[in-house]
Amino acid sequence: EGLIIEYSQLEAPERRGKLKAELTMVATVGSLMASLFIGCCMNGKAYLGTFDWTLGYNHIMGVAFILVMIQIPLTLFLVYEPPLKERPSFRAHFRASWQLVQSKSFVAVIMFAFGTHLMVTIATTAAPMVRAQWAGVKVLQQQLCGMISTFIMLV
């Protein structure tokens, strides 16, 4: 996130923020596609869904493998990274990293991230069964609601 902001500050004033907005839109569309995949392809009875068919674990891993195999050549051929003029020594890199870790702003960011994830990820193993049996929520309903909220965020 910080690197994207840094790149955005290098953009021309009339274009500033466009890179950040485009990357946010791509990430949101990716989230929509994931919800659509789960809602349609993993809605079988094995996953407490309503469809008579579903993709098994091997098929899901096959889809993930194909997506990764597409990304490797794209990364190799389309991502440009300028060569280093001078490679910093390990000692210089370690010293700079240690100075960063000791800064108040870094500690504040780490504490915020730790606290946020601690509060957001509090869950119980009973949650899926409560949703499925007590509330009667089906996989497709859950994914459609997630897709709608993601789409609203995108718009």
Side-chain angles (χ1 to χ4, degrees):
E1 191 75 21
L3 186 60
I4 300 303
I5 299 297
E6 189 175 320
Y7 278 128
S8 293
Q9 291 172 347
L10 297 175
E11 292 179 323
E14 61 274 359
R15 251 186 76 86
R16 188 158 294 154
K18 188 171 182 185
L19 176 68
K20 171 78 171 107
E22 289 172 352
L23 288 175
T24 301
M25 287 175 36
V26 167
T28 305
V29 168
S31 178
L32 277 171
M33 294 293 115
S35 292
L36 183 65
F37 177 78
I38 291 170
C40 293
C41 298
M42 297 177 68
N43 190 23
K45 301 219 185 297
Y47 300 109
L48 301 177
T50 55
F51 292 172
D52 291 330
W53 65 274
T54 188
L55 289 181
Y57 179 78
N58 290 337
H59 296 106
I60 295 165
M61 292 300 108
V63 170
F65 178 76
I66 290 169
L67 292 174
V68 168
M69 287 294 114
I70 291 170
Q71 290 300 313
I72 290 173
L74 289 176
T75 303
L76 288 174
F77 296 115
L78 298 179
V79 174
Y80 171 75
E81 187 170 331
L84 289 175
K85 295 176 184 170
E86 182 180 323
R87 188 177 186 113
S89 69
F90 177 75
R91 178 173 283 174
H93 183 70
F94 184 77
R95 189 176 300 130
S97 297
W98 184 247
Q99 287 175 348
L100 177 66
V101 168
Q102 290 179 320
S103 69
K104 287 183 181 181
S105 59
F106 183 81
V107 171
V109 168
I110 293 299
M111 292 303 290
F112 174 76
F114 178 76
T116 302
H117 287 289
L118 180 68
M119 296 301 170
V120 169
T121 58
I122 292 176
T124 175
T125 55
M129 294 309 288
V130 169
R131 260 194 318 266
Q133 292 182 355
W134 183 73
V137 176
K138 301 294 182 195
V139 175
L140 189 58
Q141 294 169 332
Q142 182 178 347
Q143 294 306 318
L144 285 175
C145 288
M147 288 172 57
I148 291 168
S149 66
T150 303
F151 182 75
I152 290 171
M153 186 181 78
L154 181 65
V155 175

